[in-house]
Amino acid sequence: MCQGEAVSAAVESEGSPRVVRVLPDVAAIDKEFDYLVPDGTSVELGDVVRIELHGRRVGGWVVGVDVVPEPGVRLKLLAKVSGRGPEPELLELAGWASWRWAGRRASFLRTAAPPGVARFARGTASIGGPRSAGSPADADLGRSLPHEDLLGRARQVGRAVVRLGPGADRYPLVLAAVRSVPGQVLVLCPSVDEAQQLGRRLRRDGVRTAIVAADRPGSAATGEWVHAATTAQAVVGSRAGAWAPAPRLGLVLVLDEHDEASHQQEQAPTWHERRRRQAPRRAGVPMRAGLSLPQPRSARVGELVEAGRGTERGAWPRVEVVDQRDLDPSLGPLFSPRLVDLVRGGGRVLCILNRTGRARLLSCTTCRTIARCEVCDAAVGIEAGTEEGLGALSCGRCGATRPPVCLECGGAGFKNLRLGVSCAREELEALAGTAVGEVTASTPDDDPAILGARVLVGTERCCTGCASGRGRLPRHGPGVARPALPGGRAGDGAGGEGRSDGGPRGRSDGRVLVQARTPDHPVLVAARRGDPARLVASELPLRRALGLPPTTAMALVSGPAAPDHVAALGHPLGVRVQGPLDGTWRLIAADHPTLCDALASVERPPGRLRIEVDPLRA
């Protein structure tokens, strides 16, 4: 810690001037500096200030007040007090989070700070008691007694995982919590759109709600932040909402907690809002997690509270699995007759195929050799925008390209063994006799070809954003077909297609069709029977035997500075260091304290370094 910054011109003050400690908002600096408070200036813990540091003016946060500087150190004056910043308890939380996810405190405090200048007197929060009855929502709650019963049982448990079916409406559970819990209720949604929709529903029912997930900067977003810090009963947000101000927090609700990709930040530090409640001060705040389909990592969140077999099963759509084990991929069609019938019928259809481009696996028509890269020997494919057999072959691993010629026999003809989205769209259009929209991560939400299409084919983006996140297409409707195995880790996030969107739910008349060569996969069995407990029961012992999360703690270290960081780390007690593999080292420990203490014991070397604690795809 730096107690002050020496300057050529000392600031002389009579008496005992007030001194504060400031953490600069500079990515490469994780040190604190002492500054003098100008006479007549009011400053409190957590305030956003401007300081002069190494000849330039930067922002920062007050992390200590009325500190005693080291003798003989000459201090500079604060340049400016901009306004209110993170709540004091969030300062402590940022310190814990920087240890837990091996990141800089500044990255967490930026998320916790208001988007603009916020000015109000701390300690003026007036949350009020639970919302009084009599609004139109009371009638809905009267018809949703299972939700009130679930909430009552969860409150007795403390840390609870409330399991709901994919088609169940989470809103009655949220509204019941706001009615019954004294203090503020923090609700975390998987996306910004869902948080906004849920917040608007609460406001229509007379609940003072701050929506801190607004995707527009400026005064409106700052006003929501101030509302959360003062008078809001409910604070609704996406992942970043976990750092919203809530001075009288009484309950944390995490909707669709199984959706790791939404609730965990992919950019380092890879923090997950779920584990914030393990931090100091907020560890005693009860938490509920609403789930569609739990994953093994949810087993450590809290005690499971179920809604009864009949109620939960009724919220699941019909799941049909088409066995394609006997189908030759080089000869047979991509789409089964059952899927073709659904596509040609009425209703909207979402087809999920997690492979972009035109062709992801090719074989020579002459010698039947798999087309591979001459540089790294990985399988090559044809990207979107080229015709099969004409465009260049490209390698997804090293990026090398070459003409479409077989390296074994020199042939120029290839079979498409694994179609990508672009080629699948063309085949589906011919089968359906109608225009088919193609949805990938780069597809804009307002693409007219997507908004007007009855049939969509694409990656998992079909389930969010332009396809269904804004209510333009239903998540579950008659004839919905999803011909793909869940992507990523088996058992983790497999129920993400049934996420809450904050809007009216409760429909279970949709249909999910899965084409699979492993019809007995635990994910498919659990979905077909509407029994997610089967998935956890089969997956957790396997992960324990293989030493994978959540039974162990894991971190991935990569980047140009990774070799120096791993060399400085050495082989700490209780931590296994594996690698490097493709420039990435893997650190494994029996628990997170052991792993995080080891990472915190080493200074970060200069250069770009990525430390991914709790990797999503471990």
Side-chain angles (χ1 to χ4, degrees), residues 10-19 36-39 77:
V11 177
E12 301 292 344
S13 299
E14 297 180 359
S16 299
R18 193 179 183 198
V19 179
L36 291 172
V37 179
D39 293 338
L77 288 169

Side-chain angles (χ1 to χ4, degrees), residues 48 57 156 162 233 244 287 313 326 362 430 454 464 581:
V48 179
R57 184 171 290 189
Q156 294 177 357
V162 179
Q233 293 173 278
M287 183 182 73
R313 187 65 184 91
D326 297 331
L362 301 168
R454 181 180 66 86
T464 60
L581 179 62

Side-chain angles (χ1 to χ4, degrees), residues 303-570:
E303 183 176 334
L304 180 64
V305 177
E306 304 176 68
R309 185 59 185 155
T311 302
E312 183 179 352
R313 187 65 184 91
W316 281 78
R318 289 171 289 171
V319 178
E320 183 178 351
V321 180
V322 178
D323 188 351
Q324 291 192 298
R325 285 177 291 188
D326 297 331
L327 177 65
D328 185 348
S330 64
L331 302 176
L334 172 66
F335 304 106
S336 65
R338 182 68 181 126
L339 174 59
V340 174
D341 291 341
L342 289 177
V343 171
R344 290 177 176 174
R348 297 184 186 269
V349 181
L350 310 181
C351 295
I352 312 303
L353 183 65
N354 275 322
R355 293 195 296 266
T356 58
R358 289 190 55 82
R360 311 309 300 177
L361 186 65
L362 301 168
S363 69
C364 177
T365 56
T366 303
C367 65
R368 298 186 179 182
T369 301
I370 298 295
R372 295 190 176 276
C373 176
E374 72 275 17
V375 177
C376 65
D377 200 40
V380 295
I382 302 176
E383 297 299 327
T386 60
E387 296 295 330
E388 182 179 352
L390 295 178
L393 304 182
S394 62
C395 177
R397 177 186 293 175
C398 67
T401 60
R402 65 177 177 86
V405 177
C406 178
L407 297 179
E408 295 293 329
C409 67
F414 291 91
K415 289 182 180 180
N416 192 346
L417 302 184
R418 188 174 297 167
L419 274 67
V421 168
S422 298
C423 192
R425 178 187 58 80
E426 297 172 2
E427 290 198 10
L428 200 58
E429 279 186 341
L431 292 172
T434 184
V436 176
E438 180 180 338
V439 182
T440 62
S442 60
T443 304
D445 284 349
D446 56 354
D447 189 341
I450 301 303
L451 300 180
R454 181 180 66 86
V455 181
L456 296 179
V457 60
T459 60
E460 289 181 356
R461 179 72 186 282
C462 279
C463 301
T464 60
C466 58
S468 57
R470 301 181 188 272
R472 294 171 179 142
L473 293 179
R475 292 186 182 276
H476 298 295
V480 173
R482 290 175 174 141
L485 273 173
R489 299 169 298 184
D492 279 9
E497 295 174 0
R499 300 188 322 187
S500 166
D501 58 4
R505 299 186 56 148
R507 296 183 57 186
S508 58
D509 57 343
R511 176 178 299 161
V512 177
L513 178 68
V514 182
Q515 297 181 171
R517 297 183 185 278
T518 55
D520 297 328
H521 193 284
V523 171
L524 298 179
V525 174
R528 189 167 58 240
R529 300 187 180 183
D531 186 7
R534 287 176 168 268
L535 176 63
V536 177
S538 62
E539 186 75 10
L540 199 56
L542 178 61
R543 288 183 167 272
R544 184 178 294 109
L546 296 177
L548 295 176
T551 60
T552 59
M554 182 181 296
L556 302 181
V557 182
S558 60
D564 294 337
H565 184 79
V566 174
L569 182 66

Side-chain angles (χ1 to χ4, degrees), residues 68-350:
V68 179
E70 291 184 359
V73 176
R74 296 180 295 178
L75 306 179
K76 288 183 178 181
L77 288 169
L78 288 177
K80 181 182 179 180
V81 178
S82 301
R84 299 304 181 207
E87 293 291 320
E89 66 104 4
L90 293 180
L91 299 177
E92 183 180 359
L93 187 62
W96 173 86
S98 66
W99 167 83
R100 176 61 175 75
W101 285 284
R104 304 284 194 186
R105 284 179 294 170
S107 63
F108 298 103
L109 292 180
R110 282 191 215 106
T111 307
V117 177
R119 293 188 175 93
F120 62 91
R122 294 196 186 275
T124 60
S126 178
I127 308 303
R131 186 183 60 84
S132 59
S135 77
D138 292 320
D140 294 335
L141 281 176
R143 294 192 299 268
S144 306
L145 292 178
H147 292 83
E148 291 189 299
D149 177 65
L150 280 174
L151 183 64
R153 285 188 284 153
R155 292 184 67 183
Q156 294 177 357
V157 171
R159 293 182 60 185
V161 176
V162 179
R163 195 173 76 192
L164 302 174
D169 188 3
R170 275 78 167 151
Y171 182 70
L173 181 67
V174 175
L175 190 54
V178 175
R179 290 183 58 190
S180 59
V181 174
Q184 292 174 297
V185 176
L186 176 61
V187 186
L188 304 177
C189 302
S191 70
V192 171
D193 287 340
E194 296 164 20
Q196 290 175 337
Q197 293 179 32
L198 179 62
R200 286 193 291 266
R201 292 183 72 183
L202 287 170
R203 286 177 175 176
R204 284 196 299 266
D205 289 330
V207 179
R208 298 195 302 274
T209 305
I211 306 175
V212 294
D215 54 359
R216 58 187 188 280
S219 59
T222 303
E224 296 287 351
W225 190 92
V226 174
H227 185 30
T230 54
T231 60
Q233 293 173 278
V235 181
V236 182
S238 55
R239 177 180 60 239
W243 293 89
R248 298 185 182 178
L249 185 61
L251 178 70
V252 178
L253 276 172
V254 183
L255 302 185
D256 295 343
E257 185 270 349
H258 66 274
D259 193 348
E260 294 276 349
S262 296
H263 287 296
Q264 180 166 337
Q265 179 168 275
E266 186 172 355
Q267 179 185 1
T270 55
W271 61 272
H272 193 297
E273 49 73 28
R274 171 209 305 156
R275 295 179 178 87
R276 278 200 54 206
R277 75 166 312 282
Q278 301 172 0
R281 294 194 181 183
R282 288 204 174 181
V285 176
M287 183 182 73
R288 318 281 180 263
L291 296 170
S292 296
L293 184 63
Q295 55 172 306
R297 299 181 186 228
S298 303
R300 295 190 176 185
V301 175
E303 183 176 334
L304 180 64
V305 177
E306 304 176 68
R309 185 59 185 155
T311 302
E312 183 179 352
R313 187 65 184 91
W316 281 78
R318 289 171 289 171
V319 178
E320 183 178 351
V321 180
V322 178
D323 188 351
Q324 291 192 298
R325 285 177 291 188
D326 297 331
L327 177 65
D328 185 348
S330 64
L331 302 176
L334 172 66
F335 304 106
S336 65
R338 182 68 181 126
L339 174 59
V340 174
D341 291 341
L342 289 177
V343 171
R344 290 177 176 174
R348 297 184 186 269
V349 181
L350 310 181

